[in-house]
Amino acid sequence: MMMENGLSMEYGDGYMEQEEEWEREGLLDPAWEKQQKKTFTAWCNSHLRKAGTAIDNIEEDFRNGLKLMLLLEVISGETLPKPDRGKMRFHKIANVNKALDFIASKGVHLVSIGAEEIVDGNLKMTLGMIWTIILRFAIQDISVEEMTAKEGLLLWCQRKTAPYKNVNVQNFHLSFKDGLAFCALIHRHRPDLIDYAKLSKDNPLENLNTAFDVAEKYLDIPRMLDPDDLQNTALPDERAVMTYVSSYYHCFSGAQKAETAANRICKVLKVNQENERLMEEYERLASDLLEWIRRTMPWLNSRQADNSLAGVQKKLEEYRTYRRKHKPPRVEQKAKLETNFNTLQTKLRLSNRPAYLPTEGKTVSDISNSWKGLELAEKAFEEWLLAETMRLERLEHLAQKFKHKADAHEDWTRGKEEMLQSQDFRQCKLNELKALKKKHEAFESDLAAHQDRVEQIAAIAQELNVSTLEYHDCVSVNARCQRICDQWDRLGALTQRRRTALDEAERILEKIDILHLEFAKRAAPFNNWLDGTREDLVDMFIVHTMEEIQGLIQAHDQFKATLGEADKEFNLIVNLVREVESIVKQHQIPGGLENPYTTLTANDMTRKWSDVRQLVPQRDQTLANELRKQQNNEMLRRQFAEKANIVGPWIERQMDAVTAIGMGLQGSLEDQLHRLKEYEQAVYAYKPNIEELEKIHQAVQESMIFENRYTNYTMETLRVGWEQLLTSINRNINEVENQILTRDSKGISQEQLNEFRSSFNHFDKNRTGRLSPEEFKSCLVSLGYSIGKDRQGDLDFQRILAVVDPNNTGYVHFDAFLDFMTRESTDTDTAEQVIDSFRILAADKPYILPDELRRELPPDQAEYCIQRMPPYKGPNGVPGALDYMSFSTALYGETDL
């Protein structure tokens, strides 16, 4: 049955009911009643002898109630009502009722045990009553780890006998039959009384007699069991064995106090050892992460390149590999580092230890600052790579354009200086001289037409020399441009000199060949137009948008519309040549087919015109290819925007949901933790969408797309949002786990936690996760905390603020608020409690010896204390004495070791 104090005992009818149940199941042994009678009689006499009396027959000697009342007075230390001295039956019943009333006053609910049965000598009822007294006054107060009395006594026996060979205490029926368990209990506390190594499991009677004799002679525990009865009974009586074993427990109660003290010390030391392990783990992770950041920063800050487009593209690919492979594990490491740090600080607060201060340069803020520096360096590095790509692409385009135009110009000027310096006109006939003059005029026209090309070449060279572009081969470009310009100046001077000479000869020469002249006049500009057109049709271009390529296509279409007029001009020029050929053939003029005014021929015009007509469809194809490329770029922009416009809001919604859960008003802490872990799984399941975006983004960058008007999201903002979401989930999971740890370790209820969270959120209007001092004061008042409005109230509140905001930030965060409210609501172990526990192990000495620590504590924790305890320097010390007081205060940060 369950008593009001939570103790499981068989009282009254419970005693009878259990025996009836055992009898039905065939478990009841008739010898049990005999064993109980012997044991209970011996137990009663062990107490009655203190009053100078005893009983011989348990069912007879308690019938008048006098010795029963005397037994209760002895074991309780209290005085019962005066007994009736008459010998009549009603006198006896009155005395027994006084005894039963006293038992009931101790919280024992007796059922089916009446005074009449005791007065009539009912053995079962009498034994049931004595068992009730034994349970209440000898066993009830036995408690190990908050178990019931029976379970506590059994656990005590198991712990005490655990190191002993051939002893395995599982119950109070069979585990004590061979006597070794009794001998082990005595040897554990008094090894000087029994040589346990000489005992054998094969000699149970000898073992039992040894234990009972030693207990009676040296420990003042009377024989309550008969060795023969224990051996000859298949299942010894549990109550008899429990009664006798409880005497051992009370005999060694002093040692039990030492064990309790040792357990408390072990618990405290385990906390410290675990905290030290977490500190070492934090230092290792922090050092590794900071070292990785230190090694990575020079690479990100480097702006060294070979000034080539291929080299920069290689660096860009290396950066993408870094973002995909090298950084994600470090993001997880950073989150784990913050989680471990928060868990450690929570454990330190819960165990009244001082807060952990990492090694200089390894605090959470140091790591956060280094991480921010890393992210800034990443952003700057990526921006530099993209800028370098654009710059080098433009440089490469300009350099190729310069080379193309310079090559064309140098081809045109080849031989021109020799021609202008020639004195051929001095040997010519009149018509030949005039032809030379016209030819020279045509050349001047051509020369003037080439002026624009020279200016274009100089302009391109000047653009390549712009300091911001940093073109690597400016020297050779400048040298070539200077050679072209110098040659151009020489050509101008030579042209003018030859013109003067021809003008001088013109006064002599009169006849002009009109047809040749007309051809030369028309052929030169048309030839120049052909050359310019051919250059334009093969000219390179670079575009980045649909509008730009469409503009080029439109301009090309406009050019094609002029081809009809050009075709007419071509036919006119060709017809001039045919007319000359007709006249020469008709009149057989020697050398008449040679045009003295130009080197151009109809074949030249035909070939160049044919080239132009072939280049037009090629230009069509080039523009069409570029249009498809820009269409593909537009498709990539839309693909990225479509995906980003889904992923971005999804991340924002998850952030809002996680933040809402983090406010702590959605169910119990376990519910919040479950939901957060569901979100964590959902986020990791969503990761393929981020990876798909990264692939699209890589294609966007490889296509040199630098803007996207279809979305406001960039890959960088999505990466940052993704990492912030992961960090927020990990941080909230850690906070909820720490709150569960706080709740469970401090014994506060879920209702209290909900009340603390609800009050905090009520005053956290902006949902920042922190309160100002005034908001914090209002929150305390709402929870029933009394803070006066006078000067003393202000001083009290300032003291509270110093606890919850030790760094004087001006804000109170929820974890500090919860820690404060938890300390206000619960008790924790203190340095004084640990000192008291060590004092018990040291037998009230102000110091403790290493041997005492090794005897009372587990080996690893004993050595932990010995290595860290300073030597005792007080009076009456002995060699090797250790100062447990300063060690205990150091555990709680009250002193330094």
Side-chain angles (χ1 to χ4, degrees), residues 621-638:
Q621 184 62 42
T622 300
L623 292 173
N625 291 339
E626 183 62 30
L627 178 62
R628 285 193 295 272
K629 176 183 174 183
Q630 291 304 321
Q631 288 172 338
N632 180 67
N633 289 354
E634 193 73 0
M635 179 191 69
L636 286 175
R637 289 189 184 95
R638 293 180 182 275

Side-chain angles (χ1 to χ4, degrees), residues 209-226:
N209 281 313
T210 297
F212 296 167
D213 290 344
V214 169
E216 186 172 36
K217 182 176 181 181
Y218 296 103
L219 304 177
D220 198 26
I221 300 175
R223 276 179 174 256
M224 298 183 188
L225 299 174
D226 189 321

